[in-house]
Amino acid sequence: MKGAIVTVFSKRRERYLPFYIPALRSYLEKTSQELDIIVSEQIDYNTTFNFNISANVGLRAAFESLNCDYAIIVGPDNIPLEKVDYSWSGKNETSFL
């Protein structure tokens, strides 16, 4: 199954991206997990940040543009270090940190 990690990004987390993307790529390679990485960013910084809209735009890109079978929404401040399996488990799951 084809999967994607959707990272919802806001201007206040801008400092995380230079660390997050390389760390995530490295972790995925190390654990042999093949996933597309989508960074979904709110362009209009003059309004209140809307996580849900940014997440939905990223999910739409995953399913409609990349033809993914599943997607995981992760914030750029959540860098996997060990024992994080992003593969499809066969059921829908929700977790909050």
Side-chain angles (χ1 to χ4, degrees), residues 26-45:
S26 174
Y27 181 80
L28 293 174
E29 288 172 8
K30 183 175 73 175
T31 58
S32 300
Q33 297 181 62
E34 294 183 26
L35 295 157
D36 291 317
I37 300 171
I38 299 168
V39 176
S40 184
E41 176 182 8
Q42 180 172 324
I43 294 174
D44 184 3
Y45 292 113

Side-chain angles (χ1 to χ4, degrees), residues 13-71:
R13 292 181 170 176
E14 184 174 41
R15 66 185 182 274
Y16 296 143
L17 278 183
F19 304 101
Y20 173 76
I21 298 295
L24 181 58
R25 281 188 181 138
S26 174
Y27 181 80
L28 293 174
E29 288 172 8
K30 183 175 73 175
T31 58
S32 300
Q33 297 181 62
E34 294 183 26
L35 295 157
D36 291 317
I37 300 171
I38 299 168
V39 176
S40 184
E41 176 182 8
Q42 180 172 324
I43 294 174
D44 184 3
Y45 292 113
N46 295 321
T47 61
T48 303
F49 176 68
N50 190 320
F51 178 91
N52 294 331
I53 289 175
S54 294
N56 285 334
V57 168
L59 290 171
R60 186 171 185 177
F63 294 119
E64 293 181 7
S65 298
L66 300 176
N67 295 314
C68 291
D69 299 304
Y70 71 100

